[in-house]
Amino acid sequence: MADRQTIARYAITLIALFFIFSPTFVLDGNNRDLFFDEGGVIEVASAIGYFLCVLLILYKGKINYLRKYYYFILLFIMSGFRELDFHKRFTTMGILKIKFFTSSDVPFTEKLVGFLIVLLLLHVLISIYRNHIRQFIEGLKNHSTISIGVFIVLLLLGVSKTLDGISRKLGSFEIEIGSQIAMHLAALEEVLELGIPMFLLLIYYEYFDKHKV
């Protein structure tokens, strides 16, 4: 059953995300860019959040958890580095784009490294799905706070990915949105992405509080 204290933590975190987002309406120019642009405070905080998840897992779960659920740690490390734009900082273009593998402008060695990274990511995602999807669904049915937290993470992930490049996506349907709205939606995307590691920390705090590894 859902723990009221944990649900309260989730609610407080959502409220905190709203307050983190609210300065987008009052900041402008360099001050706003400092917080909400790529490489800004929010994005760096997201990366730090993922690395804190890794540290929490290693500290609480130790080698036993690492051996059994190594793929979670790999996912959080990769997510942290992605927030720091490592997926495109050292290559001709982003390795998660199909064009990266089809373009003649990308050297073969980059394609090989990119392919291996994508292959590792697929292994991680498939491992998580195969080993935890039933437990996740059962947890939702039983109102498990861990499963509820994971659901919130998936919701934040889905909405943030939908907002990513929203102007371009809507433009393909000949729908235009104002520059101000696009700016606020971009800020909302960054804040929602920050919420993902914040909730992961709460989930793991709850998990290690209730499970001996």
Side-chain angles (χ1 to χ4, degrees):
M1 294 295 292
D3 178 7
R4 291 184 179 180
Q5 190 175 29
T6 302
I7 293 298
R9 292 193 190 106
Y10 290 167
I12 292 170
T13 303
L14 289 173
I15 294 171
L17 289 175
F18 171 77
F19 280 105
I20 293 171
F21 169 67
S22 60
T24 187
F25 297 106
V26 295
L27 294 176
D28 56 14
N30 293 332
N31 289 328
R32 191 184 180 286
D33 295 343
L34 176 65
F35 281 92
F36 296 107
D37 263 17
E38 286 194 10
V41 172
I42 302 299
E43 191 171 69
V44 173
S46 298
I48 293 173
Y50 283 113
F51 297 139
L52 286 176
C53 286
V54 174
L55 291 176
L56 176 62
I57 292 170
L58 294 176
Y59 176 71
K60 289 286 190 178
K62 299 181 173 58
I63 194 66
N64 289 334
Y65 189 94
L66 179 60
R67 286 174 178 169
K68 194 172 183 180
Y69 304 117
Y70 66 91
Y71 40 81
F72 282 119
I73 294 178
L74 286 176
L75 179 62
F76 300 152
I77 291 174
M78 295 172 78
S79 297
F81 281 124
R82 186 191 181 283
E83 288 295 331
L84 297 175
D85 294 330
F86 272 54
H87 64 296
K88 59 183 179 182
R89 180 170 294 183
F90 306 106
T91 52
T92 306
M93 62 182 74
I95 65 173
L96 299 179
K97 295 181 178 180
I98 295 177
K99 188 178 179 181
F100 176 84
F101 298 100
T102 60
S103 174
S104 59
D105 296 330
V106 180
F108 174 77
T109 52
E110 284 189 20
K111 291 181 179 179
L112 179 60
V113 173
F115 175 76
L116 293 175
I117 293 174
V118 171
L119 199 63
L120 178 61
L121 177 60
L122 287 174
H123 166 72
V124 166
L125 295 177
I126 291 171
S127 296
I128 292 173
Y129 180 83
R130 290 178 60 182
N131 296 329
H132 300 281
I133 185 63
R134 290 183 180 177
Q135 182 182 9
F136 168 64
I137 294 174
E138 286 297 320
L140 284 181
K141 290 179 180 178
N142 296 323
H143 305 105
S144 161
T145 46
I146 292 176
S147 290
I148 292 171
V150 173
F151 177 79
I152 294 173
V153 166
L154 294 175
L155 186 62
L156 292 173
L157 180 63
V159 176
S160 64
K161 292 306 175 188
T162 301
L163 293 177
D164 185 17
I166 189 67
S167 297
R168 171 177 46 80
K169 291 174 181 175
L170 292 177
S172 62
F173 296 100
E174 298 184 352
I175 300 175
E176 294 186 5
I177 58 176
S179 59
Q180 283 291 110
I181 294 177
M183 182 180 67
H184 294 319
L185 290 178
L188 179 59
E189 176 204 344
E190 294 294 334
V191 173
L192 293 180
E193 287 182 345
L194 172 61
I196 295 172
M198 289 173 66
F199 269 94
L200 287 173
L201 286 168
L202 292 176
I203 291 167
Y204 270 101
Y205 178 83
E206 167 103 354
Y207 176 84
F208 288 118
D209 188 50
K210 293 183 175 180
H211 297 80
K212 289 184 178 181
V213 181

